[in-house]
Structure formats: structure tokens, C-alpha cells
Amino acid sequence: MEMAAAMTSLTDIESVLKALASERRLQILDWLKDPVAHFPPQEHGDPEAHGACNQFIVEKLGVSQPAGSRHLKVLTDAGLVIPTRRKGWVYYRRNEAALANVAALVASI
Amino acid sequence: MEMAAAMTSLTDIESVLKALASERRLQILDWLKDPVAHFPPQEHGDPEAHGACNQFIVEKLGVSQPAGSRHLKVLTDAGLVIPTRRKGWVYYRRNEAALANVAALVASI
DNA sequence: TAGCCACATAACATGATAGTTATATGGAGA
DNA sequence: TCTCCATATAACTATCATGTTATGTGGCTA
């Protein structure tokens, strides 16, 4: 069993800050604090448990579908959101542990 | 008398994160935690009080003088370092209050 | 005032980011 | 199997970031 990576190098901090340094992506993270309040009801996928689906986020961003999907990929690759694939949709929720870790990292700058 | 700006909008968070999302600039901020340990002695300018001078930082970064100066300008414009002009040199020190504010902002993401 | 030195700015090359439209992929359901 | 729909990928364009070299600016100091 492996320890969680410490993620203390400047390069690591840089990469996660680059993922965060985008108004669109900050907006997504903010919406995902309360998916029920910010997105339409979903018949499939519990918004409390799994977050909002790709499509709703893209629509609310007001950009093209590929552009929105790429923002979600950046957040996912940085570990800041967690995707759940289900019945052809992909739901995204915040990774609160990772976000708390980022806050701690920034506090150490 | 005006209150200090609250700086809570996503746009504001984005701009300061963009200033931080650079390995070079993170490196500068790290060095400036202890200028005496990381830079040669300065005959003019107290490193404890005013930080390290532009020239030393540029040399340690290993980039050209304009490139280094621009990184320092980005940090200065974001309010993350404080420049002190003296006898033809410019010294930079960390703005701890601003950095603490950033940490609090990131914790609220 | 003349020259020097630190720093700032200009101009340019290059790579990364973020947007677009078009198309591929892949699972659900008829 | 065929179709449909959500998402992913490809290809391209525009803008921004970061590096370079060359040059300007401005204050010490002789």
C-alpha cells in the first residue's frame, strides 16, 4: 500500500495552480458546491452524490461542448473534481480533500 | 477612508492565481522567505528589511535580465511582493499579508 | 557633465491555452 | 442491429505567456 503523494514540489504546486487559475474553472467549482441549486433536476444520477452532468455544466458555462468538456478534463486531471460515468452521462463532483490540500499548499507558499 | 478591497470575485482570484501559477515565481517567493540564506551579501540595502535585489534574483533564476525583471513585475503587480527602490537598486520582499490573503481565498474555493 | 550600472521597455520568436466546427466513439434503448 | 444522444477527440485559429536580444532610462559617482 502506497502513501498518498506528498505533492510538495514547486512543479506540483504550479500545475494545480494552473488548473485553478481560470475563471471558468473557478466558476464550475463554485457551482458544484451546490449542484441542486445551480443545475436543472436530473432524472438519472443523484446530484448530491455524484454532482452535475457534463452537459448541464457546459450549457451553463455558455461555451461549446468541446470547450466545456476540456475544462472538466483539466479539473479532472488535476484531481480537483471526481467524474462518475453512468448511463451515458458523466457526472462531476468536487474533490473536497484535494481542494483542502491545495489550500494547505498555498498557505505554505 | 476606504475599506481594504474584499477581493472576492472569481476574476480577482483568477488573476492572483495566474501570478502564482509559475514555477519561477514560486521559486522567487520561496527564496525570499530567507534572503540572507539564498542570496549573496548586499553592501547596500538590508536584506532582512527590504529583501533581495533584482539582479541577484535574476542571476539565481538563470534567465535573461528582462525575463527575470518581468517575473518580478508580475509578482509586484499582483501585490505579492513589495519593491523598494534605493540607490539604483530595487529590492523585493514578500508581502506576507497579501500571501495570507491569497491562502484564505484559495481555502474558500 | 560624463560615464557607468541597474533596471525597464521594445521588438520579436515560440509554445501553451482556449475557443471554434467537424467528426469519432460508445453505450442505451427501440 | 440500428439509431440516438452524450461525450471525446481532431484540426484549426486567435490570443496569451515566456523566452530571447537590442535599446532606452535614470540615478550614482567620479
Side-chain angles (χ1 to χ4, degrees), chain A residues 18 22 24-25 62-67 70-71 87:
Chain A
K18 280 189 189 303
S22 154
R24 299 235 195 253
R25 294 192 287 270
V63 295
S64 66
Q65 178 264 322
R70 189 167 43 191
H71 281 302
K87 287 210 168 201

Side-chain angles (χ1 to χ4, degrees), chain B residues 5-18:
Chain B
M7 196 163 86
T8 47
S9 83
L10 295 184
T11 304
D12 291 333
I13 302 180
E14 182 199 24
S15 65
V16 72
L17 288 181
K18 280 189 188 305

Side-chain angles (χ1 to χ4, degrees), chain A residues 3 10 14 27 41 45 47 54 56 58 65 70 75 77 98:
Chain A
M3 302 270 302
L10 296 183
E14 182 198 25
Q27 180 72 78
N54 187 306
F56 287 168
V58 167
Q65 178 264 322
R70 189 167 43 191
L75 288 172
D77 289 348

Side-chain angles (χ1 to χ4, degrees), chain A:
Chain A
M1 178 169 175
E2 194 173 346
M3 302 270 302
M7 196 163 84
T8 48
S9 83
L10 296 183
T11 305
D12 290 334
I13 302 180
E14 182 198 25
S15 65
V16 72
L17 287 181
K18 280 189 189 303
L20 277 180
S22 154
E23 188 171 3
R24 299 235 195 253
R25 294 192 287 270
L26 289 171
Q27 180 72 78
I28 292 170
L29 289 170
D30 191 61
W31 287 332
L32 290 183
K33 282 181 178 175
D34 189 350
V36 175
H38 293 105
F39 298 99
Q42 302 170 167
E43 53 273 22
H44 293 297
D46 177 13
E48 303 283 359
H50 300 126
C53 77
N54 187 306
Q55 189 181 16
F56 287 168
I57 297 171
V58 167
E59 282 171 6
K60 198 162 171 103
L61 273 180
V63 295
S64 66
Q65 178 264 322
S69 279
R70 189 167 43 191
H71 281 302
L72 287 162
K73 176 170 169 48
V74 171
L75 288 172
T76 303
D77 289 348
L80 300 174
V81 298
I82 300 171
T84 303
R85 268 158 240 280
R86 187 160 167 176
K87 287 210 168 201
W89 285 272
V90 184
Y91 303 95
Y92 292 93
R93 66 182 188 277
R94 292 163 54 96
N95 185 342
E96 297 293 352
L99 287 163
N101 188 37
V102 173
L105 285 178
V106 172
S108 77
I109 288 176

